[in-house]
Amino acid sequence: MLRDPSLKYRPFPTVDLPDRQWPSRTITKAPRWLSTDLRDGNQALIDPMDAEKKTRFFDLLVKVGLKEIEVGFPSAGATEFDFISGLVRDGRIPDDVAIQVLTQSRRDLIERSFESLEGAKTAIVHLYNAVSPAWRKIVFGMTRDEVKTIAVEGAKVLRDEAAKRPNTRWQFEYSPETFSTAELDFSVEVCAAVMDVLRPTVDAPIILNLPATVECATPNVYADQIEWFGRSIPNREAVVISLHTHNDRGTGVAAAELGLMAGADRVEGCLLGNGERTGNCDLVTVALNMYTQGTDPRLDLSNIDEIVKTVEYATRIPVHPRTPYAGDLVFTAFSGSHQDAIKKGFAAQAARNDTLWEVPYLPIDPADLGRSYEAVIRVNSQSGKGGVAWVLEQDKGLKLPKRMQADFSRHVQALADESSRELNAADIWGAFERAYLPGDADRFELRDYEETGASGERVFVGRVAIDGEERSLSGRGNGLISGVIAALADSTGPALDVVDYSEHAIGHGAGAQAVAYLECRTGDGRTVWGVGIDSDIATASVRAVLSAANRA
């Protein structure tokens, strides 16, 4: 890398727009959406989709709610042409969906594109040619007038071919390709010349797509370009301004959002950002960004896993686990402090009597996207007591007392350090069983018991195996738990003082169980915890005392 990159690279020029309005605007309604997955996204694949994959992808796009779908480049070859004409011929296109095809501004390619759409009820033909200085000088060796002539001649062919097919409702889109690196006045000049040929109206507007073919500036510059263009293009009410951002600088989504604030009406992109080089605008991200601000994106993304699965199948490109909203790990916390905040957030959410979502670290409710809460918190060596407690509550219904969470987290931390991997729910439950529930190495094991006595003085009489030998024990106390502790103390058991006790049901109905948690202090000042689980809450309490005695 150069120590002085200015010797090789020039800063991108800004737009002279001192009274720009877009910074004070917000996005308050959904734009028109166009999926380019089957065209731009398909061109970006090492192995382009076959007809079966494209058909499956098309069905997904319809299911999601896309009303405009760019289905291919019909003049590119027989595979593309046959797929597009097959959609029309087989009646696979819903009446409220318009398919779109792309063509360069050449007569033979335009004519071939119209042939692929023969018989369609409604369709969009998308015409383009590059207009920026680098393309004019380096790629084509043409003047501005020559480049404009290409666009105008292509528009005339569009007009004439559509007139031959009056039974189809035709819409036209024109892209001054490489708009983001072209002179703004020339982009307006070329687009206006195309409009002079196609004569758009308010009822039949033209779509003018302003692509960031190569993202060369910060997204605010693109927004300035869009606002400048919108102010300058004639007959603006007959124009739909469309955005087609790429992600060369990693800000394709931001550029699209700022472009909407700058007055654009339509967004083009791919469901999860596929596209040449670093990809196109990620439509899922833009749509769900709007959703989290309380604006309906008018797309159904309620089964995000189905979307991911289909996109991965069709493109053979895995979705990164950190992809916004769609990645496997985007709703997952491993950090202890994050887990604690999320756990408290869910508890507060359940306690509030309203629907407003407010959970730390989760800008969207995973359930809205068809995700469960089970994977929101996952446990590894970085996790804390709150995360461990969350997993137990979600998997087994156990709501550990706060101080017990700290005690149990030590066991889990030791297991995580030892295994050097993520711990799943089965691992955590196994650690819990070993730490608190009856095991072969335990000294005390309950066989049977009964409780007698009046209120204020209770007598525990039980059969307990001590070191494998069954013995009869009895003890008096002001309740069942104190009676069990007294019985143990009279039979070489540890001296225990109760610090805290809590209980709750696990599940509902006749088959529900009860769990009891007992915090005790031993004679030498140590704190031990006992847990008992049984269908009877009293028996669970007895088991909790014996569990604490075993820990002591």
Side-chain angles (χ1 to χ4, degrees):
M1 295 179 67
L2 301 175
R3 297 300 299 272
D4 183 5
S6 66
L7 297 173
K8 189 173 183 177
Y9 302 101
R10 289 169 294 181
F12 196 86
T14 58
V15 179
D16 183 17
L17 195 67
D19 61 339
R20 58 181 59 82
Q21 301 299 307
W22 65 262
S24 61
R25 296 175 182 159
T26 57
I27 300 171
T28 58
K29 65 177 182 178
R32 287 170 60 171
W33 303 103
L34 173 80
S35 162
T36 62
D37 290 273
L38 300 179
R39 197 276 301 170
D40 202 345
N42 192 43
Q43 289 177 203
L45 301 177
I46 296 173
D47 298 310
M49 293 178 245
D50 58 22
E52 187 275 330
K53 286 186 171 66
K54 290 194 78 169
T55 300
R56 181 167 169 179
F57 210 135
F58 178 81
D59 292 341
L60 172 69
L61 295 170
V62 171
K63 184 176 182 179
V64 165
L66 272 300
K67 302 304 181 185
E68 298 176 23
I69 302 171
E70 194 166 68
V71 290
F73 205 141
S75 60
T79 300
E80 289 282 279
F81 185 96
D82 291 345
F83 169 71
I84 295 165
S85 60
L87 287 176
V88 177
R89 182 182 60 252
D90 298 340
R92 298 189 63 88
I93 307 166
D95 289 344
D96 62 345
V97 172
I99 61 171
Q100 174 172 306
V101 298
L102 181 71
T103 177
Q104 293 171 307
S105 188
R106 278 176 38 190
R107 175 175 291 275
D108 58 326
L109 304 184
I110 297 170
E111 291 174 345
R112 184 67 169 161
S113 299
F114 273 90
E115 290 170 7
S116 73
L117 297 168
E118 201 77 54
K121 295 179 180 179
T122 182
I124 306 169
V125 182
H126 180 186
L127 178 76
Y128 76 95
N129 66 304
V131 300
S132 68
W135 269 256
R136 295 197 310 262
K137 298 172 185 177
I138 299 170
V139 181
F140 304 124
M142 290 183 174
T143 65
R144 284 170 59 143
D145 285 343
E146 288 172 324
V147 166
K148 183 170 71 172
T149 297
I150 292 174
V152 169
E153 291 304 314
K156 291 177 180 178
V157 180
L158 284 185
R159 177 195 62 197
D160 296 343
E161 289 298 310
K164 297 175 185 178
R165 301 167 175 86
N167 292 329
T168 297
R169 178 178 176 267
W170 296 104
Q171 301 176 65
F172 302 122
E173 176 171 346
Y174 173 69
S175 289
E177 193 198 7
T178 65
F179 165 83
S180 57
T181 52
E183 308 95 332
L184 285 171
D185 65 326
F186 184 53
S187 294
V188 169
E189 181 182 335
V190 175
C191 289
V194 169
M195 292 172 66
D196 286 342
V197 174
L198 296 176
R199 302 291 182 183
T201 66
V202 174
D203 294 330
I206 186 173
I207 301 168
L208 294 180
N209 180 43
L210 307 179
T213 305
V214 180
E215 188 178 40
C216 293
T218 49
N220 61 295
V221 173
Y222 183 66
D224 282 347
Q225 293 174 325
I226 300 302
E227 184 169 335
W228 193 99
F229 184 94
R231 294 186 190 184
S232 305
I233 193 71
N235 199 15
R236 173 65 177 91
E237 64 275 9
V239 172
V240 173
I241 293 181
S242 190
L243 309 174
H244 186 119
T245 59
H246 279 255
N247 206 40
D248 300 272
R249 292 171 57 94
T251 57
V253 165
E257 291 180 325
L258 298 191
L260 287 174
M261 292 161 58
D265 310 292
R266 186 175 186 250
V267 173
E268 304 185 8
C270 295
L271 280 187
L272 293 169
N274 180 38
E276 289 184 292
R277 305 186 310 281
T278 55
N280 292 304
C281 175
D282 182 340
L283 297 186
V284 170
T285 298
V286 176
L288 290 177
N289 284 352
M290 294 172 54
Y291 182 81
T292 64
Q293 302 304 301
T295 297
D296 180 7
R298 304 182 73 84
L299 294 177
D300 182 3
L301 304 174
S302 60
N303 191 343
I304 198 72
D305 290 333
E306 179 189 16
I307 293 172
V308 170
K309 182 179 178 181
T310 303
V311 170
E312 289 183 330
Y313 167 76
T315 65
R316 301 184 187 179
I317 297 176
V319 173
H320 195 281
R322 299 296 181 190
T323 299
Y325 302 108
D328 282 344
L329 297 178
V330 296
F331 301 125
T332 300
F334 291 102
S335 161
S337 60
H338 291 200
Q339 293 173 340
D340 183 62
I342 291 171
K343 181 174 179 289
K344 289 175 179 175
F346 272 108
Q349 190 74 22
R352 285 201 310 271
N353 189 27
D354 62 57
T355 59
L356 288 178
W357 179 255
E358 190 178 17
V359 176
Y361 295 110
L362 295 178
I364 191 172
D365 184 349
D368 287 355
L369 306 182
R371 293 267 177 94
S372 71
Y373 297 141
E374 294 178 4
V376 168
I377 291 176
R378 289 161 61 175
V379 175
N380 62 15
S381 60
Q382 303 298 305
S383 302
K385 61 182 183 297
V388 173
W390 166 272
V391 173
L392 266 184
E393 182 174 349
Q394 296 299 305
D395 187 53
K396 297 295 182 180
L398 299 184
K399 302 175 183 178
L400 304 190
K402 189 170 184 178
R403 288 194 296 273
M404 187 180 182
Q405 294 176 21
D407 185 78
F408 179 49
S409 69
R410 294 186 293 103
H411 298 274
V412 176
Q413 184 69 46
L415 178 59
D417 290 338
E418 179 184 342
S419 61
S420 298
R421 63 173 175 82
E422 179 189 351
L423 303 182
N424 58 34
D427 294 324
I428 294 171
W429 176 243
F432 188 84
E433 288 183 307
R434 290 189 295 274
Y436 305 109
L437 299 184
D440 294 338
D442 285 347
R443 187 179 182 203
F444 303 99
E445 180 184 355
L446 179 67
R447 297 294 172 80
D448 194 10
Y449 81 97
E450 62 180 15
E451 181 188 16
T452 61
S455 176
E457 183 179 70
R458 310 295 293 176
V459 178
F460 166 82
V461 178
R463 290 186 294 117
V464 177
I466 303 179
D467 297 326
E469 179 183 347
E470 185 174 308
R471 298 173 58 178
S472 295
L473 307 180
S474 64
R476 294 177 179 272
N478 59 6
L480 178 59
I481 291 175
S482 58
V484 179
I485 291 175
L488 290 174
D490 291 341
S491 305
T492 70
L496 298 174
D497 287 327
V498 175
V499 176
D500 191 37
Y501 170 85
S502 61
E503 62 185 46
H504 66 79
I506 306 175
H508 304 280
Q513 289 192 302
V515 58
Y517 308 101
L518 190 67
E519 181 184 7
C520 296
R521 187 170 290 111
T522 65
D524 56 4
R526 291 182 297 117
T527 296
V528 294
W529 283 88
V531 178
I533 300 176
D534 198 271
S535 57
D536 174 66
I537 185 57
T539 304
S541 301
V542 175
R543 294 188 186 280
V545 176
L546 297 181
S547 172
N550 285 320
R551 308 290 82 75

